[in-house]
Amino acid sequence: MVNVLVVGLDNSGKTTIIERLKPRPKQSMEVAPTVGFNVEEVQKGALTFTVFDMSGAGRYRTLWEQYYREADAVIFVVDSGDKLRMVVARDEMEHMLAHPNLRKVPVVFFANKKDLPISLPPAEIAQALGLNDIQDRPWNIFPSNGLTGEGLDRGMDWLAERLG
Ligand code: GTP
Ligand code: MG
């Protein structure tokens, strides 16, 4: 059993992505903003992930760190079209990576909403978030579309390789 913490700003697409990772009959079509957090179980190949779907809303972000100690991996979701809040995402990300309870765990970044015409490519998001400065853990960034599920397998496979 692997614990995965899913974080990122509100409206980035965390819950949508988690729904898309479930088998089709179990997916809900409607997602609403998460209140607090939800726990889900997701099967990927040989691995069973316990997924903590955290709310990204400002007033709930302090909840994230309560789960760092249990986390084996982090999925950090970024809205590729939300240029205005890229700096807020960077702040939250840096704050998270600096936390002593979250040392060395691998981080997958999903550059989500890649379908939006105004979306930034992953390389530009990596630049904006300063990802190339991360040297104390494995990380990678993958473009994704939470609505279709495109790109999610690549990210989850990368993560599974680091956890297996
Ligand atoms: P909080 O729970 O508030 O932190 O938000 P969240 O990160 O869980 O976002 P959520 O999954 O609720 O998605 C927010 C909105 O973005 C919804 O309207 C989704 O349908 C939409 N959305 C999610 N992924 C994509 C995507 O890849 N492309 C587009 N165009 N919309 C997306
Ligand atoms: Mg949510």
Side-chain angles (χ1 to χ4, degrees), residues 97-146:
L97 294 188
H99 199 285
N101 289 350
L102 200 64
R103 285 227 178 95
K104 292 185 179 159
V105 307
V107 184
V108 177
F109 293 88
F110 280 123
N112 195 41
K113 308 199 185 183
K114 74 185 188 81
D115 55 296
L116 295 180
I118 53 160
S119 69
L120 291 172
E124 279 183 42
I125 292 172
Q127 175 80 37
L129 298 182
L131 301 189
N132 293 307
D133 295 335
I134 303 176
Q135 284 167 357
D136 57 349
R137 70 192 74 232
W139 65 270
N140 211 332
I141 184 165
F142 299 91
S144 67
N145 179 338

Side-chain angles (χ1 to χ4, degrees), residues 10-22:
D10 47 296
N11 197 50
S12 54
K14 300 177 293 297
T15 304
T16 307
I17 284 174
I18 293 163
E19 285 301 319
R20 222 51 69 217
L21 294 172
K22 295 183 193 168

